[in-house]
């Protein structure tokens, strides 16, 4: 289980990005993270993998608490898929992009190849292995970015606006694939229809505060959503 307790995060200028947020996520659970622009969604995702350090509170994955000493372990167990796939794709071909993470963590080459092959197969993109990321469509890039994270065999997946830049067909493909992935998922999104289709729980942020932690029925609660700027 991933447990967040009284988590607060500040930017370098002292502004509060996340304010005393508490929630938990079980293995295999899909949770939507919603809120208006500037609510703190991306900041929360970055804090969960230690990119933005907390000023107070605790992030716990199983028995492991996120600290400087456990940062490497946490990042191997929680994978973040950025909003822009180009931020995760920088090698000459997709195979090398997917292999980058396991190699960086010291995986033997035989194990790395096994992980890359499994990630490609899991997403049905084996045909893209030797393609340059520059030659991929938006939907293909999204799946490629997910593959780079899956190769680390994470327990939980974090997504920042996964349906951004996708046409309807690519969005349907992504939805179907995410529904089949066994990892727990925290999905920051403005796409409320996508959230309702995929997620059983919803976290609603407003100015860094968690103002709702409810089932998907909150997505039909116009007063609550409008009150949070949505």
């Amino acid at each position: 289980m991933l447990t967040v307790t009284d988590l607060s995060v500040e930017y370098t200028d002292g502004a509060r990005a996340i304010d005393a947020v508490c929630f938990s996520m079980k293995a295999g659970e899909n949770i939507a993270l919603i809120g208006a622009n500037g609510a703190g969604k991306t900041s929360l995702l970055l804090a969960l993998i230690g990119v933005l350090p907390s000023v107070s509170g605790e992030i716990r994955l199983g028995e492991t608490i996120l600290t400087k000493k456990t940062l490497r372990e946490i990042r191997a167990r929680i994978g973040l898929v950025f909003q822009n796939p180009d931020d995760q794709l920088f090698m000459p071909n997709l195979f090398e992009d997917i292999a980058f993470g396991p190699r960086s963590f010291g995986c033997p080459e035989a194990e790395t190849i096994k992980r890359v092959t499994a990630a490609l197969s899991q997403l049905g993109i084996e045909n893209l292995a030797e393609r340059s990321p520059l030659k991929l469509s938006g939907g293909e890039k999204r799946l490629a970015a997910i593959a780079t994270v899956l190769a680390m065999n994470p327990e939980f997946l974090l997504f920042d606006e996964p349906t951004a830049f996708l046409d309807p067909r690519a969005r349907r493909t992504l939805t179907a694939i995410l529904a089949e992935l066994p990892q727990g998922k925290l999905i920051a999104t403005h796409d409320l229809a996508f959230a309702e289709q995929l997620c059983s729980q919803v976290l609603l942020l407003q100015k860094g505060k968690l103002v709702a932690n409810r089932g998907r029925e909150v997505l039909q609660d116009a007063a609550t959503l409008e009150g949070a700027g949505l």
Side-chain angles (χ1 to χ4, degrees):
M1 179 176 288
L2 176 62
T3 305
V4 177
T5 306
D6 293 326
L7 181 69
S8 293
V9 175
E10 292 181 352
Y11 296 122
T12 54
D13 63 1
R16 186 62 60 99
I18 299 296
D19 192 358
V21 164
C22 299
F23 71 93
S24 61
M25 181 165 60
K26 300 174 184 177
E29 186 176 18
N30 294 339
I31 298 179
L33 178 62
I34 65 173
N37 287 334
K41 300 186 298 298
T42 299
S43 295
L44 178 56
L45 298 183
L46 294 175
L48 293 178
I49 58 170
V51 174
L52 285 180
S54 61
V55 294
S56 62
E58 179 183 275
I59 298 167
R60 179 187 291 266
L61 180 53
E63 297 302 316
T64 303
I65 297 173
L66 175 61
T67 65
K68 289 183 179 179
K69 290 184 178 180
T70 63
L71 185 58
R72 183 176 175 86
E73 176 189 348
I74 292 293
R75 288 180 178 175
R77 297 171 65 187
I78 302 176
L80 172 62
V81 181
F82 294 109
Q83 178 175 348
N84 187 346
D86 289 331
D87 292 336
Q88 288 179 271
L89 304 172
F90 50 85
M91 299 295 281
N93 61 53
L94 181 53
F95 187 98
E96 294 299 317
D97 266 317
I98 301 172
F100 182 85
R103 285 171 177 163
S104 297
F105 274 73
C107 280
E109 190 61 17
E111 173 65 15
T112 294
I113 293 172
K114 181 179 178 181
R115 291 190 183 198
V116 173
T117 302
L120 289 166
S121 176
Q122 192 171 11
L123 299 177
I125 54 173
E126 299 95 326
N127 60 310
L128 304 181
E130 301 303 321
R131 296 268 299 276
S132 165
L134 299 175
K135 303 292 185 180
L136 302 181
S137 69
E140 289 170 339
K141 284 185 178 183
R142 181 69 65 195
L143 296 181
I146 295 171
T148 67
V149 174
L150 290 180
M152 295 300 296
N153 293 338
E155 298 169 38
F156 290 91
L157 296 170
L158 313 177
F159 293 88
D160 194 359
E161 298 292 349
T163 60
F165 317 123
L166 297 185
D167 61 30
R169 181 177 181 180
R171 181 184 177 280
R172 289 193 299 271
T173 298
L174 176 68
T175 304
I177 286 174
L178 294 190
E180 294 298 320
L181 293 179
Q183 290 89 351
K185 305 170 199 72
L186 180 61
I187 305 172
T189 183
H190 284 114
D191 188 339
L192 300 187
F194 170 76
E196 186 170 20
Q197 187 175 359
L198 193 63
C199 300
S200 59
Q201 196 73 11
V202 177
L203 306 179
L204 175 58
L205 284 179
Q206 183 179 13
K207 297 181 179 179
K209 293 181 178 291
L210 187 61
V211 296
N213 182 355
R214 294 165 50 186
R216 73 181 75 183
E217 71 276 0
V218 73
L219 298 171
Q220 301 300 324
D221 186 341
T224 296
L225 296 179
E226 290 173 7
L230 291 174

